[in-house]
Amino acid sequence: MAESVVLDPVDLHLLRLLQNDARTTYRDLAAQVGVAPSTCLDRVTRLRRSGVILGHQLRLDPAKLGRGLEALLSVQVRPHRRELVGPFVERIRALPESRTVFHLTGPDDYLVHVAVADMADLQRLVLDEFTARREVARVETRLIFQQWDCGPLLPPGQTAPKPAEQA
């Protein structure tokens, strides 16, 4: 397990701000946190080098890309052996419908978040890409009605400010 990094209140404030908008300029970040822009740059660089900040992602709206139906697929692989796990995960990750793949404990081995065009596309994906594989013993599908992003990720014991109440 990776060691955690010691973060002071300025680091935590920077991480909160960057998780809300990773495109915020160093000048704006510095002003909001109360440090010089050069200090802000040094701190963000240190957070990247230490592995706290893993990268930046562009978020897309699946519905606007013609993938308006999202689902979670619980997948059981049998036998659950290392020589099958690697190729299975790489195949699933390569599918354009796959959003996230989790390797789990418990009765299901994987949870796969997918985005598809419609119910027929979901059926095609499950039948042609999952259950057609010899190592897949079972697939259980759950449709996602709605999802919400949560607050910023913080170390244990830290709390994020509560969102402003809407009037």
Side-chain angles (χ1 to χ4, degrees):
M1 181 177 351
E3 289 186 33
S4 57
V5 175
V6 177
L7 304 171
D8 67 18
V10 173
D11 293 330
L12 292 170
H13 196 178
L14 286 169
L15 291 173
R16 282 185 194 107
L17 294 168
L18 287 169
Q19 285 183 81
N20 289 329
D21 184 0
R23 296 184 316 161
T24 306
T25 66
Y26 290 114
R27 181 182 314 189
D28 290 342
L29 283 172
Q32 292 180 62
V33 175
V35 298
S38 60
T39 301
C40 182
L41 174 61
D42 290 344
R43 282 179 174 261
V44 172
T45 300
R46 182 179 52 79
L47 291 166
R48 280 194 186 106
R49 284 193 185 130
S50 66
V52 173
I53 296 176
L54 298 176
H56 305 277
Q57 294 181 342
L58 180 68
R59 293 182 50 204
L60 303 175
D61 182 341
K64 299 236 165 87
L65 296 173
R67 296 182 182 277
L69 181 64
E70 294 185 71
L72 296 172
L73 307 179
S74 299
V75 182
Q76 191 177 70
V77 174
R78 293 293 176 254
H80 191 184
R81 293 194 317 243
R82 187 170 300 279
E83 63 270 13
L84 294 175
V85 166
F88 174 78
V89 170
E90 289 312 307
R91 174 65 187 138
I92 299 310
R93 289 184 67 208
L95 295 172
E97 298 88 355
S98 294
R99 306 274 313 224
T100 310
V101 180
F102 299 95
H103 193 187
L104 309 172
T105 63
D108 297 315
D109 301 310
Y110 297 94
L111 184 64
V112 184
H113 177 194
V114 299
V116 295
D118 52 30
M119 198 61 78
D121 196 26
L122 179 60
Q123 181 181 24
R124 177 208 50 82
L125 178 70
V126 169
L127 293 176
D128 295 349
E129 300 295 346
F130 285 85
T131 60
R133 296 184 64 89
R134 290 186 348 191
E135 70 272 24
V136 173
R138 183 178 66 79
V139 175
E140 191 173 303
T141 304
R142 292 176 177 85
L143 298 180
I144 298 173
F145 291 137
Q146 193 171 2
Q147 72 182 54
W148 296 266
D149 288 333
C150 298
L153 179 65
L154 299 171
Q158 301 291 323
T159 57
K162 295 196 186 322
E165 303 242 324
Q166 298 201 357

